[in-house]
């Protein structure tokens, strides 16, 4: 188990106003005081970071440049690849769809020389624009499993408009939980293929006007938008329930190992509970 | 008033839900690095700086960046930026009744005191009208209420503002750094009096602004025509406004070390780098080059200031590239030391350095080598502009072919693998032989390249020439698209299927519009408005430009395309821009035009005695370079 270098997160930026509120369980790793005085020094580190607010709308390519510039601005010695057009050695295990918020993004950074992890992340966070913030960083120890293998499940939250009837949410969730197969249509270039989402929906709950679900990693990955489409596809039942409206927000809350009632967050191992809504 | 107050607030809450429905949503979010966000209620003037093109094109614009910082540093002044919404976003905004907005706080255009457009090219004029219309403004200045924002334009294309004259309140001719501060003071006084209930009419504010050096207020001037429809002149109609408006010139660039903290875009743009102008102005005297003519005299920024700006600029932005900008970079008197020192400072940091606008000579290869010590020598770009020595004498960009090939030799022998050559076709006096000369020069350069590597490449890029105001070629006839297509065909067939030579050219059709707008008069404004009404947008984009739509707009306005484009003007022609004084003497421009037709070159006035173009004495300035002064031998 890698040593966690835990960081307290600065709170009062404009981006935070846009970002989902961090409930105590979602941000458990970030807020845990237990190992906040780490003085770890490492050349390779893994981070959990948040991409929220206006940064929801930037692409994966934009995100790479954002990281490179913040690292340069912070004066951190990120390593560059050899070759004709050198690239900074930052790897992102998977891409977040444009438009989605996340408090559960991950990256692995390789530096040209060892850095003091806590200080580096503090400088990096100061260099980021609002909406990007590292919540936690750990040194990569020799023989550690690949980062992507630590991200076997992701906890998503889908927020619906505040005037949505919570009973509609509960009805759709119950119908999906009860279903054997949940078939959605995926549009690929010229063809449309059908896919069954059900095997990859580890668990889901309704909570007020939002739905939280643990999705298992798959190839291609199940998108939160597809989960919404499946939820919205359940027709009104005998009780006269309404189909769900367009969500106001998709948020990837955390990633890690699938667990009972949530995920065990990849870097800290702390349980992020399925049931804890991000809404106050 | 409750209604006007609410219409001044941010529209972000209404805009955000629309973003998932548009392409490239990050261009509308703002929130970039180094933006300046101020509380409007605590400020006494507000400016919206608009680049009337897509964010990806406009965001890197150096002029907007400079003025954004200059205004943003002023106490009590808020400056925000705006860019043209793409078609999908414009449709959504109209569908939802939302206005043109700023990026910093997503306030409606009407919430600002001044809306200032940067006009780098003529092809953004319909986007300018779109911004006004979408911003809930009367498109015509005469129809605006006293409290509507002031509409201002500046930038190189504003040196002939007549095709926009009915739409704008104020034109800035020349450098904006000092100008905007003086106008800002007047706007603050105007607004303060209005808020005290002692407001003065818009006309009075415009009268005050008209006294600022470099300000042209079109409504105070009238264009007079003869009965045959020829322009007699554009004359003041208000006491106290200048007969000719002198351009504004900042004399000391070291006193204006901007940009200091460039905005760092969140999403892709055409140039992502920290750029610093190493000098403004140019004395080379290329006869086609409007930028070189209207920005005289040369004002160098000192090496120390440049280095300090680069150091701070990179630290503040995190950019991985530095651009050292000017119209002819190698002409800076300390260029060699500058390139060496900047290269030393950033060696091994994966920072790339670029020096655009270099001339074809071996010295530039030395500089390029210096800037690429890490050995990444991919492409080197030169602009010979014309294919034969005769043609280059006409345009006054004289480089001997032997020197050009020697430059290519130097480059390829030192590991450069790709040379890009930029040319123009449609130049005055051009013959088919001159055009074929472009292909032949490209092939000769390729032949040199092949000696150093079978895979070495040459790109020949060809654009159609558009005559511009305030240049010796302002009298010239512009080629029709048909003529240009014929000339492209000549180059194509000469190049044949030559492997290793990549020929690039643009469709000549948009050049027609560029020509009409560049040399247009006030009547052209009717066609601009008509084209906007017919749906013209993003005229600089091949996929959006529609010549037939513009031809309909010209016909509706009763205008003749050929009159503005393919007609050669005679000595008696009065131009629509002559009441804007770029400093160049009309007589000198005419003489230089005659010299061009006689195929005679003119030297660089840094090295030869002054030939009286008129700029320096008019501005009471001299070229400021670190070069030794030239003592006249005569």
């Amino acid at each position: 188990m890698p040593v966690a270098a835990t960081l307290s997160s600065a709170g009062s930026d404009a981006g935070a106003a846009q970002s989902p509120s961090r409930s105590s369980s979602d941000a458990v790793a970030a807020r845990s005081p237990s190992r906040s005085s780490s003085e770890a020094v490492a050349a390779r580190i893994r981070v959990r970071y948040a991409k929220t607010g206006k940064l929801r709308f930037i692409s994966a390519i934009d995100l790479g440049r954002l990281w490179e510039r913040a690292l340069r601005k912070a004066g951190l010695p990120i390593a560059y690849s050899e070759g004709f057009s050198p690239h900074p050695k930052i790897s992102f295990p998977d891409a977040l769809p444009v438009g989605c918020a996340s408090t559960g993004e991950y990256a692995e950074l390789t530096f040209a020389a060892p850095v003091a992890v806590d200080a580096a992340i503090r400088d990096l966070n100061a260099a980021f624009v609002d909406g990007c913030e590292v919540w936690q960083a750990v040194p990569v120890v020799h023989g550690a499993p690949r980062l992507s293998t630590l991200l076997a499940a992701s906890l998503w939250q889908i927020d619906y408009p505040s005037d949505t009837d919570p009973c509609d949410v509960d009805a759709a969730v119950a119908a999906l939980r009860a279903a054997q197969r949940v078939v959605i249509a995926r549009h690929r270039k010229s063809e449309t293929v059908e896919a069954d989402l059900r095997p990859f929906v580890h668990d889901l709950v309704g909570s007020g006007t939002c739905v939280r679900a643990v999705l298992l990693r798959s190839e291609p990955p199940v998108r939160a938008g597809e989960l919404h489409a499946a939820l919205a596809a359940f027709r009104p039942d005998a009780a006269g329930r309404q189909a769900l409206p367009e969500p106001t927000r998709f948020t990837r809350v955390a990633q890690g190992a699938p667990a009972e009632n949530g995920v065990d967050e990849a870097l800290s191992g702390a349980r992020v509970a399925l049931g804890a809504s991000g809404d106050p | 008033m409750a209604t006007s107050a609410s219409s001044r607030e941010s529209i972000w809450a209404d805009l955000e839900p629309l973003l998932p429905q548009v392409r490239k949503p990050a261009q509308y979010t703002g929130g970039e690095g180094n933006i300046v966000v101020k509380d409007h209620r605590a400020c006494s003037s507000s400016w919206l700086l608009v680049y009337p093109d897509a964010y990806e094109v406009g965001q890197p614009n150096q002029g907007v960046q400079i003025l954004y910082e200059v205004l943003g540093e002023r106490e009590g002044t808020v400056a925000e930026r705006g860019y043209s919404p793409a078609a999908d976003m414009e449709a959504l905004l109209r569908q939802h009744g939302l206005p043109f907005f700023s990026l910093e706080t997503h306030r409606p255009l009407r919430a600002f005191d001044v809306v200032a457009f940067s006009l780098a090219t003529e092809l953004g004029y319909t986007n300018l009208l779109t911004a006004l219309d979408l911003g809930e403004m009367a498109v015509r200045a005469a129809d605006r209420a006293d409290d509507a924002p002031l509409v201002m334009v500046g930038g190189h294309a504003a040196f002939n503002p007549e095709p926009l004259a009915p739409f704008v309140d104020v034109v800035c001719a020349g450098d904006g750094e000092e100008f905007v501060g003086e106008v800002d003071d007047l706007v603050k006084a105007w607004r303060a009096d209005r808020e005290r209930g002692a407001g003065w009419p818009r006309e009075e504010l415009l009268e005050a602004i008209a006294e600022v050096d470099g300000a042209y207020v079109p409504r105070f001037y009238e264009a007079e025509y003869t009965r045959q429809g020829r322009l007699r002149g554009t004359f003041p109609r208000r006491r106290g406004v200048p007969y000719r408006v002198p351009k504004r010139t900042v004399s000391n660039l070291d006193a204006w070390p901007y940009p200091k903290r460039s905005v760092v875009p969140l999403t892709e743009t055409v140039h992502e780098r920290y750029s610093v102008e190493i000098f403004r102005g140019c004395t080379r005297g290329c006869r086609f080059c409007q930028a070189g003519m209207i920005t005289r005299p040369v004002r160098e920024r000192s090496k120390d200031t440049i280095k300090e700006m680069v150091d701070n600029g990179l630290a503040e932005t995190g950019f991985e590239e530095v651009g050292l900008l000017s119209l002819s970079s190698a002409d800076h008197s300390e260029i060699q030391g500058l390139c060496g020192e900047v290269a030393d400072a950033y060696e091994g940091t994966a920072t790339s350095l670029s020096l655009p606008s270099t001339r074809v000579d071996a010295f530039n290869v030395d500089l390029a080598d210096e800037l690429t010590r890490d050995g990444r020598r991919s492409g080197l770009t030169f602009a010979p502009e014309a294919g034969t020595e005769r043609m280059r004498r006409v345009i006054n960009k004289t480089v001997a072919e032997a020197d050009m090939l020697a430059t290519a030799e130097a480059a390829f022998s030192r590991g450069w693998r790709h040379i890009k050559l930029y040319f123009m076709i449609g130049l005055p006096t051009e013959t088919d032989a001159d055009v074929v000369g472009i292909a032949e020069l490209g092939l000769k350069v390729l032949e040199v390249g092949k000696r150093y590597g079978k895979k070495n490449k040459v790109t020949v890029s060809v654009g159609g020439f558009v005559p511009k105001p305030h240049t010796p070629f302002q009298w010239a006839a512009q080629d029709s698209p048909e003529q240009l297509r014929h000339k492209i065909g000549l180059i194509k067939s000469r190049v044949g299927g030559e492997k290793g030579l990549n020929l690039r050219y643009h469709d000549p059709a948009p050049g027609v519009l560029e020509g009409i707008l560049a040399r247009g008069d006030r009547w052209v404004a009717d066609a601009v408005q008509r084209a906007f009404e017919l749906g013209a947008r993003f005229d600089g984009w091949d996929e959006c430009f529609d010549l037939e739509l513009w031809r309909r707009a010209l016909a509706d306005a009763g205008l003749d395309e050929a009159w503005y484009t393919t007609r050669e003007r005679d000595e008696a022609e009065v131009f629509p821009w002559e009441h804007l004084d770029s400093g160049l003497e009309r007589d000198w421009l005419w003489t230089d035009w005659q010299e061009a037709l006689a195929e005679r070159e003119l030297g660089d006035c840094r090295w030869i005695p002054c030939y009286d173009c008129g700029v320096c004495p008019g501005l009471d300035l001299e070229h400021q370079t670190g070069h030794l002064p030239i003592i006249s031998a005569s």
Side-chain angles (χ1 to χ4, degrees):
Chain A
M1 193 62 204
V3 178
T6 310
L7 298 150
S8 58
S9 50
S12 64
D13 52 58
Q18 315 278 343
S19 58
S21 56
R22 292 161 196 164
S23 71
S24 56
S25 71
D26 288 352
V28 63
R31 294 208 176 161
S32 161
S34 57
R35 283 171 282 196
S36 62
S37 59
S38 162
E39 286 167 18
V41 170
R44 271 174 76 202
I45 62 176
R46 286 174 180 169
V47 299
R48 174 193 182 187
Y49 69 96
K51 180 184 183 237
T52 56
K54 290 170 176 170
L55 291 190
R56 296 197 326 276
F57 297 104
I58 70 171
S59 69
I61 294 169
D62 296 335
L63 185 71
R65 277 191 294 260
L66 182 89
W67 272 82
E68 181 181 3
R69 287 175 189 153
L71 286 159
R72 293 176 72 99
K73 194 173 169 183
L76 295 169
I78 190 73
Y80 278 84
S81 62
E82 302 292 319
F84 208 73
S85 52
H87 286 286
K89 291 191 175 174
I90 313 167
S91 67
F92 301 97
D94 63 345
L96 183 71
V98 172
C100 296
S102 178
T103 56
E105 294 306 288
Y106 295 83
E108 188 166 303
L109 315 175
T110 304
F111 293 98
V115 297
V117 177
D118 281 6
I121 299 305
R122 198 169 51 236
D123 293 347
L124 182 58
N125 278 341
F128 274 130
V129 291
D130 288 347
C132 194
E133 184 185 33
V134 173
W135 281 19
Q136 190 176 27
V138 297
V140 180
V141 294
H142 189 67
R146 289 161 57 89
L147 178 56
S148 60
T149 64
L150 300 178
L151 309 176
S154 45
L155 172 57
W156 281 87
Q157 175 167 321
I158 305 175
D159 287 291
Y160 290 97
S162 54
D163 58 358
T164 308
D165 185 343
C167 296
D168 291 341
V169 174
D170 290 339
V173 166
L176 195 144
R177 286 179 70 99
Q180 297 290 311
R181 281 166 55 79
V182 177
V183 177
I184 53 112
R186 281 192 175 134
H187 306 287
R188 292 282 140 77
K189 287 177 186 156
S190 56
E191 54 169 4
T192 298
V193 293
E194 294 200 325
D196 179 13
L197 304 187
R198 191 64 188 87
F200 308 109
V201 181
H202 179 68
D203 204 352
L204 85 164
V205 295
S207 171
T209 58
C210 82
V211 170
R212 283 166 69 101
V214 175
L215 300 178
L216 300 179
R217 192 180 182 88
S218 61
E219 194 49 54
V222 174
R223 293 184 163 226
E226 292 173 336
L227 182 63
H228 159 69
L231 288 164
F234 288 108
R235 290 293 109 209
D237 61 13
R241 302 261 61 97
Q242 298 294 306
L244 291 175
E246 273 303 301
T248 53
R249 184 68 47 91
F250 293 100
T251 306
R252 180 146 71 184
V253 178
Q255 297 186 65
E260 202 174 328
N261 280 322
V263 293
D264 288 338
E265 198 276 322
L267 300 189
S268 67
R271 178 72 47 89
V272 181
L274 179 64
S277 166
D279 271 313
Chain B
M1 277 187 303
T3 50
S4 78
S6 65
S7 72
R8 289 167 180 270
E9 298 304 318
S10 173
I11 65 159
W12 176 248
D14 296 316
L15 184 69
E16 191 184 17
L18 306 180
L19 293 180
Q21 300 171 49
V22 299
R23 288 185 66 241
K24 301 185 181 177
Q27 66 183 308
Y28 306 112
T29 61
E32 307 106 304
N34 294 336
I35 59 171
V36 180
V37 181
K38 289 190 184 177
D39 177 2
H40 281 239
R41 274 168 290 268
C43 287
S44 45
S45 74
S46 57
W47 293 61
L48 178 60
L49 307 179
V50 182
Y51 191 97
D53 204 331
Y55 178 85
E56 63 191 84
V57 174
Q59 192 282 330
N61 180 266
Q62 191 80 350
V64 172
Q65 180 64 44
I66 290 169
L67 298 182
Y68 178 69
E69 290 187 38
V70 167
L71 286 164
E73 282 184 11
R74 288 174 65 84
E75 185 82 26
T77 302
V78 52
E80 304 195 4
R81 298 158 304 133
Y83 302 91
S84 295
D88 58 351
M89 179 55 106
E90 187 191 339
L92 275 178
L93 291 174
R94 290 190 187 278
Q95 182 191 329
H96 291 264
L98 294 173
F100 187 94
F101 56 86
S102 70
L103 281 193
E104 277 72 8
T105 62
H106 294 92
R107 275 187 168 74
L109 179 145
R110 278 195 64 100
F112 294 84
D113 297 314
V114 182
V115 181
F117 292 88
S118 172
L119 304 177
T121 87
E122 296 82 2
L123 296 178
Y125 292 177
T126 54
N127 283 1
L128 183 152
L129 294 194
T130 306
L132 294 178
D133 180 63
L134 203 50
E136 297 166 356
M137 294 270 288
V139 161
R140 297 229 162 209
D143 299 334
R144 285 178 202 141
D146 269 359
D147 65 347
L150 279 187
V151 176
M152 201 177 289
V153 296
H156 289 181
F159 269 87
N160 175 22
E162 292 306 286
L164 293 176
F167 315 124
V168 305
D169 296 304
V170 178
V171 176
C172 169
D175 299 332
E177 286 95 334
E178 297 166 343
F179 180 89
V180 293
E182 291 165 27
V183 171
D184 190 44
D185 286 339
L186 293 168
V187 169
K188 279 179 173 155
W190 177 57
R191 194 172 121 175
D193 284 348
R194 196 176 70 209
E195 284 166 3
R196 288 193 294 111
W200 3 312
R202 195 178 180 82
E203 289 269 310
E204 276 180 44
L205 172 63
L206 291 172
E207 279 175 10
I209 291 175
E211 288 178 24
V212 174
D213 250 7
Y216 164 55
V217 178
R219 73 172 65 181
F220 295 157
Y221 294 77
E222 194 180 324
E224 278 183 30
Y225 289 85
T226 66
R227 240 175 289 158
Q228 292 74 36
R230 293 183 76 103
L231 183 67
R232 187 178 280 136
T234 311
F235 303 107
R237 285 292 179 262
R238 180 77 48 129
R239 208 199 319 240
V241 303
Y243 187 74
R244 295 185 74 205
V245 175
K247 74 168 175 184
R248 192 64 184 259
T249 302
V250 167
S251 59
N252 179 8
L253 284 199
D254 281 346
W256 296 94
Y258 297 89
K260 298 172 180 170
R261 307 174 77 235
S262 307
V263 170
V264 183
L266 297 177
T267 190
E268 194 171 8
T269 66
V270 293
H271 294 299
E272 299 191 26
R273 61 190 178 200
Y274 174 72
S275 292
V276 49
E277 274 178 293
I278 61 174
F279 64 91
R280 209 173 278 180
C282 185
T283 49
R284 289 285 179 173
C286 302
R287 288 168 177 140
F288 56 86
C289 179
Q290 185 189 41
M293 293 289 166
I294 61 177
T295 59
R296 291 179 177 198
V298 169
R299 289 145 288 154
E300 279 191 2
R301 190 164 260 149
S302 70
K303 188 176 74 178
D304 288 344
T305 304
I306 296 166
K307 281 173 55 193
E308 197 182 319
M309 288 175 71
V310 169
D311 282 347
N312 292 337
L314 287 178
E316 294 284 355
T317 60
F319 275 131
E320 51 292 303
E321 184 178 337
V322 175
L324 302 176
L325 309 186
S326 71
L327 293 170
S328 183
S329 298
D331 287 348
H332 191 284
S333 61
E334 296 179 281
I335 191 67
Q336 199 156 22
L338 175 65
C339 287
E341 287 170 39
V342 173
D344 284 346
Y346 295 99
E347 193 162 356
T349 63
T351 305
S352 63
L353 309 170
S354 70
L355 196 64
S357 302
T358 52
R359 294 170 60 83
V360 190
D361 61 45
F363 175 58
N364 283 302
V365 181
D366 295 342
L367 293 177
D369 286 350
E370 189 73 350
L371 296 179
T372 53
R373 289 187 196 165
D374 54 10
R376 282 196 297 277
R377 292 181 181 162
S378 51
L380 209 49
T381 303
F382 294 110
E385 312 288 7
T388 59
E389 290 184 5
R390 187 200 77 79
M391 194 73 256
R392 291 195 290 273
R393 280 198 304 277
V394 171
I395 64 173
N396 203 40
K397 194 164 183 182
T398 48
V399 187
E401 181 166 304
D403 290 344
M404 220 172 275
L405 296 177
T407 304
E409 180 107 33
F412 283 121
S413 70
R414 288 184 236 162
W416 293 90
R417 303 189 303 191
H418 182 188
I419 288 185
K420 295 180 211 166
L421 299 170
Y422 279 78
F423 295 96
M424 286 186 292
I425 52 174
L427 292 164
T429 78
E430 186 176 63
T431 65
D432 283 0
D434 292 315
V435 174
V436 173
I438 293 172
E440 278 165 0
L441 183 57
L443 291 169
K444 284 176 195 164
V445 171
L446 180 63
E447 200 182 301
V448 173
K450 293 275 190 203
R451 290 210 297 273
Y452 294 94
K454 263 190 270 180
K455 285 187 179 169
N456 284 345
K457 281 188 303 183
V458 171
T459 294
V460 169
S461 194
V462 180
F465 169 63
V466 176
K468 293 286 167 93
H470 304 281
T471 69
F473 285 176
Q474 63 186 351
W475 284 275
Q478 182 179 343
D479 267 7
S480 67
E482 293 70 32
Q483 286 169 299
L484 292 174
R485 287 196 189 100
H486 162 74
K487 289 175 178 178
I488 290 167
L490 289 175
I491 300 172
K492 259 191 191 165
S493 61
R494 180 66 187 86
V495 169
E498 181 60 48
K499 265 193 173 174
L501 194 146
N502 175 22
L503 176 63
R504 288 171 43 179
Y505 53 89
H506 278 288
D507 178 39
V512 175
L513 176 60
E514 193 184 335
I516 293 167
L517 297 177
R519 291 194 290 175
D521 55 9
R522 280 193 189 192
W523 287 350
V524 170
D526 292 340
V528 174
Q529 187 171 353
R530 185 73 190 120
F532 157 71
E533 288 163 1
L534 291 171
R537 304 284 188 277
F538 290 94
D539 295 306
W541 294 62
D542 281 352
E543 61 268 43
C544 301
F545 179 70
D546 181 350
L547 184 56
E548 288 319 306
L549 181 154
W550 271 96
R551 285 184 167 150
R552 207 144 38 103
L554 288 167
D556 289 352
L559 300 178
D560 174 21
E561 177 182 321
W563 174 262
Y564 293 100
T565 54
T566 54
R567 176 176 65 99
E568 181 168 337
R569 280 67 159 170
D570 61 24
E571 191 176 2
E573 178 91 10
V574 177
F575 293 112
W577 50 88
E578 289 197 53
H579 56 301
L580 272 80
D581 183 3
S582 62
L584 300 159
E585 297 285 352
R586 181 190 163 94
D587 288 349
W588 176 76
L589 287 168
W590 175 259
T591 305
D592 203 44
W593 169 229
Q594 297 307 305
E595 295 287 288
L597 296 175
E599 302 174 17
R600 276 197 293 268
E601 63 187 279
L602 177 67
D604 183 329
C605 68
R606 255 172 302 202
W607 315 118
I608 64 166
C610 174
Y611 47 70
D612 294 326
C613 77
V615 172
C616 292
L619 293 169
D620 201 16
L621 279 176
E622 287 178 10
H623 294 297
Q624 298 162 12
T625 82
H627 294 294
L628 290 174
I630 309 304
I631 313 285
S632 171
S634 56

